[in-house]
Amino acid sequence: MTSTALDAPATPDTSAPSIAAPDTSSPPTALDVRAAPDTSTPLTALDAAAPSDPATSVTATAPPATATHPDGKAQAFQEPDAAPEPPSAAAEILRRCRELAAPALAEATGSLHPWLAEMAGYAFGRCEVGGAPADHGQGKGVRQALAVLGAEIVSGPPEAGVPGAVAVELVHVFSLLHDDIMDGDALRRGRPAVWKAYGTGSAVLAGDALFALAVQTVAVTPQAGPAVRQLTSALGDLVHGQAEDLLFADRPWTGPDAVGVAEYELMAERKTGALLGCALALGARLAGAPEATVTVLDRAGRHLGVAFQIADDVLGIWGDPEVTGKPVHSDLRQGKKTLPVLAALGSAGYGELDELLAEAHALDAAGVRRATALIERAGGRATAVREARRHLAAADALLTEAALVPGPAEELRTVLSALADRAV
C-alpha cells in the first residue's frame, strides 16, 4: 500500500480501524484538537445516531471533531442550535483578504474572450447567463486568504500574495467546472452548474481558460520560474488525486484490491491538500521567503487539505441536509469510497456492511440507516474524526516549526482554527 507523502505515520494496521492518536505531551494550540473528547455533552448534528428503528439502529457515539472542508459547505462539528454571533475575527480576516484580491481577480477574468469572461463571471457568481450583473458569492475565499497570509507571515506586504491568491482561486474554480462535468452534478451552490447553463464543451473550454490564466498570472511575477513550477506541480497533484478518486469507484470494497485508509489519505492530500499547500507556499514565495519555509508551508497546507477532505466525508454520511445542501446519507447512496467507510471495513466482522455496500445504489431508507449504524459501530466515524484531528495537529506543528512573523501567524491560526470549528 502506498504511504502518504505527508508526515503521516506508516500504513495503518488494517486489522482494526483505529489509527494512533498524536502525541499529547505538548500543550494545546489554536489548531489543537488532540484532547480526549467529552462524550457527556449532547450529540451534534454529526454525532446523531441513526433513527431509532430497533431493526436498524445501533447506538454509538463518536467524539466531536473540529475539522471541515475549505469551501465551508457545512457546520460540521458544532451544536446546531447555537445562537448566532457577530462576525468572527476569522471572518473579518477572510473578508480583508478577499477584498484585497478581488480587483486583481476581476481584472484577470475580464481579460478573457468576452464569452469566456461571461462564463467565468457566472462561475464566480458575478453574473447571470447572458451577462446580467449578479451577486451570488463564491465561497469564503479560503485559498485567497492563505496566499495573502502566506506573504504576511514571512514579513512580506499583503499585496505580494495577491498574484498567488488570484492564481489559486482560478485553478480552484477551473477544477470545479471540470469536476461538475465528471460527476454529473447539475447544481453548484444552488445554481445550474456552468456545464448545465452553457453546455459541456463550453464549460470545458472555460475551465481551460481559467487554468491558462492562472499560469499567466504568476508567470509575470518577479519569481516567475519557481512560482509557475509551484502552481503547475500542485495542479499535477490535483489531477493525479482526481484520477485516483475516479478509479476508486471501480475497485472492490474488500479484498486485496480494496482501497486502504493510507491510500485514500494520499489521494486526499493530492486532490484537496495540494492546492491549499500551494496557496500558503505561493504567497510566501512571492514575498521572498526562503525555500525551506516555502516547503514547510506547503506541507502544512497539505495536512489541512486531508483534514478538510475527511471532514467532508463525515458530512456526506452524517451531515444535516439543511446545512450541507446534500441529501442525507448521499455519499452512501452513491457508493462513494470515503474514509469512514474504508476504516469500518478494515475492522473485524464487516460482512453485513460489505453486503449492503455492494447494493448501495439500490438501498432503501432502512438499508442506508443500517449501513450508517454499522459504519459507526465499527469505528468508522471515530477513526475519521481522529485522523482529521491528527492532520490538523500536524499542520499546527509545522507552522510552529517555521520562523513566522507573530502577528500574521496568529491571524493564520485564527482562520484555520475557526474553519476547523465551523465558526466562519
Side-chain angles (χ1 to χ4, degrees):
M1 183 177 294
T2 308
S3 61
T4 178
L6 297 173
D7 295 335
T11 303
D13 179 0
T14 56
S15 64
S18 176
I19 297 176
D23 177 19
T24 58
S25 58
S26 57
T29 63
L31 272 181
D32 200 347
V33 283
R34 296 173 292 176
D38 176 6
T39 57
S40 63
T41 55
L43 300 179
T44 66
L46 279 182
D47 291 322
S52 55
D53 178 349
T56 60
S57 179
V58 178
T59 301
T61 303
T66 55
T68 187
H69 189 283
D71 281 336
K73 291 181 180 176
Q75 293 184 343
F77 310 117
Q78 187 177 8
E79 289 295 340
D81 57 353
E85 295 182 357
S88 67
E92 286 301 306
I93 296 167
L94 290 174
R95 180 193 58 76
R96 172 177 71 83
C97 296
R98 275 198 314 273
E99 291 181 355
L100 181 65
L105 184 58
E107 181 180 359
T109 55
S111 70
L112 295 170
H113 181 285
W115 181 47
L116 297 172
E118 180 190 318
M119 286 189 281
Y122 180 88
F124 280 101
R126 295 197 299 261
C127 74
E128 307 291 359
V129 174
D135 185 15
H136 294 286
Q138 181 65 33
K140 296 180 174 65
V142 173
R143 292 162 190 80
Q144 299 173 61
L146 291 180
V148 171
L149 292 170
E152 293 180 317
I153 59 179
V154 296
S155 300
E159 292 79 10
V162 167
V166 171
V168 294
E169 191 67 15
L170 290 170
V171 169
H172 172 56
V173 176
F174 143 71
S175 73
L176 295 182
L177 265 60
H178 285 197
D179 281 354
D180 286 343
I181 295 169
M182 287 184 284
D183 297 339
D185 290 338
L187 294 176
R188 167 67 59 179
R189 295 187 177 277
R191 305 170 74 206
V194 173
W195 70 274
K196 290 296 288 184
Y198 290 89
T200 302
S202 303
V204 170
L205 184 61
D208 293 344
L210 293 180
F211 168 58
L213 189 58
V215 175
Q216 180 182 338
T217 299
V218 294
V220 297
T221 63
Q223 298 81 14
V228 168
R229 286 193 293 273
Q230 185 101 45
L231 184 67
T232 55
S233 175
L235 178 64
D237 278 350
L238 187 157
V239 172
H240 192 137
Q242 180 67 34
E244 290 172 332
D245 195 28
L246 289 172
L247 290 173
F248 283 176
D250 296 324
R251 290 172 58 179
W253 287 104
T254 58
D257 295 325
V259 179
V261 169
E263 186 179 9
Y264 179 87
E265 290 193 11
L266 179 57
M267 178 279 295
E269 178 214 327
R270 289 167 169 160
K271 180 182 174 182
T272 305
L275 198 54
L276 291 179
C278 178
L280 261 180
L282 194 54
R285 184 182 294 284
L286 293 173
E291 194 64 34
T293 300
V294 170
T295 299
V296 167
L297 293 176
D298 179 74
R299 288 164 58 205
R302 286 170 178 261
H303 276 294
L304 288 167
V306 177
F308 293 153
Q309 181 63 58
I310 293 171
D312 206 42
D313 291 348
V314 174
L315 288 169
I317 299 176
W318 291 280
D320 180 354
E322 292 296 320
V323 180
T324 66
K326 298 194 294 186
V328 66
H329 305 139
S330 60
D331 283 356
L332 270 183
R333 293 180 185 277
Q334 294 172 27
K336 291 185 67 175
K337 291 180 174 65
T338 59
L339 194 139
V341 180
L342 298 177
L345 289 171
S347 66
Y350 56 74
E352 182 184 355
L353 177 59
D354 188 24
E355 293 174 4
L356 288 170
L357 292 172
E359 304 295 331
H361 293 282
L363 285 180
D364 59 14
V368 171
R369 289 199 303 270
R370 179 60 181 169
T372 301
L374 289 169
I375 292 166
E376 186 158 4
R377 185 173 67 182
R381 182 166 63 175
T383 298
V385 168
R386 191 159 50 246
E387 279 296 272
R389 289 173 168 167
R390 181 174 67 80
H391 284 285
L392 287 169
D396 189 60
L398 286 164
L399 294 178
T400 301
E401 173 188 326
L404 306 177
V405 178
E410 284 309 306
E411 283 199 322
L412 176 60
R413 281 190 167 89
T414 296
V415 168
L416 299 182
S417 181
L419 287 170
D421 290 327
R422 287 299 198 202
V424 296

